[in-house]
Amino acid sequence: MGLITLDETAQDNGLALMLHGLFEENLAAYQAKREDFAAIRTRFALVAPDAEVQVSLWFDDGHCTVYDGVRNGTEVTITADSGKIPELSQVRLRFGLPWLLDDAGKGLVLSFVQGQIAVEGLIDLPWVHVGDTLRRLYDLLRLTRVLSVAD
């Protein structure tokens, strides 16, 4: 079994296929991305309402399974139109963080401000479980680094 598995349910899901390919390509090429990937423990979902497509990314012990749909137990859901999802991988990284001062970064911030990209489940309010919130925040940062294709 490899690091990333495309579940049978996701074989006909274009978003799942794109993410699976992006993971495989980036993990094969970069040791740092493999390290980030191995550290992710959060279960993510990506939803593109305009294309009526949903995927779940379930990370566990250095492995990820990509499923069709949003599965019960998903912790963080990222919702964006299908054209915005590939843009997330275009954000450049500087010092291990998304660089928000170039055009791609400014576009990402604007998309969040305008509600074109929404993230649910990232932060617990009130902060009763601070450790869980920090894990999800770090894992979203790690996921961003793993998926980034920008130089």
Side-chain angles (χ1 to χ4, degrees), residues 87-105:
E87 289 179 23
L88 298 174
S89 68
Q90 298 299 317
V91 174
R92 296 184 186 283
L93 302 174
R94 295 290 182 268
F95 313 109
L97 299 171
W99 185 250
L100 304 177
L101 299 178
D102 63 4
D103 289 340

Side-chain angles (χ1 to χ4, degrees), residues 15-139:
L15 179 57
L17 293 170
M18 180 195 74
L19 290 168
H20 181 264
L22 192 56
F23 275 128
E24 283 191 334
E25 186 176 312
N26 284 348
L27 294 175
Y30 301 99
Q31 176 63 32
K33 290 180 189 270
R34 287 191 297 275
E35 291 169 8
D36 274 332
F37 182 88
I40 298 173
R41 297 287 182 263
T42 300
R43 294 177 172 179
F44 292 94
L46 283 96
V47 177
D50 65 319
E52 297 180 356
V53 65
Q54 305 172 342
V55 299
S56 294
L57 305 174
W58 281 40
F59 290 88
D60 186 33
D61 200 27
H63 179 264
C64 177
T65 303
V66 181
Y67 294 97
D68 181 55
V70 176
R71 295 175 57 92
N72 287 336
T74 296
E75 297 174 273
V76 176
T77 302
I78 302 165
T79 303
D81 282 346
S82 57
K84 289 288 177 191
I85 292 174
E87 289 179 23
L88 298 174
S89 68
Q90 298 299 317
V91 174
R92 296 184 186 283
L93 302 174
R94 295 290 182 268
F95 313 109
L97 299 171
W99 185 250
L100 304 177
L101 299 178
D102 63 4
D103 289 340
K106 289 176 187 175
L108 178 66
V109 171
L110 187 59
S111 293
F112 275 104
V113 170
Q114 293 176 338
Q116 296 171 341
I117 299 174
V119 179
E120 296 176 44
L122 190 61
I123 300 173
D124 290 330
L125 292 177
W127 270 33
V128 177
H129 304 286
V130 177
D132 287 339
T133 296
L134 290 175
R135 175 185 48 82
R136 290 189 298 266
L137 285 166
Y138 284 130
D139 282 351

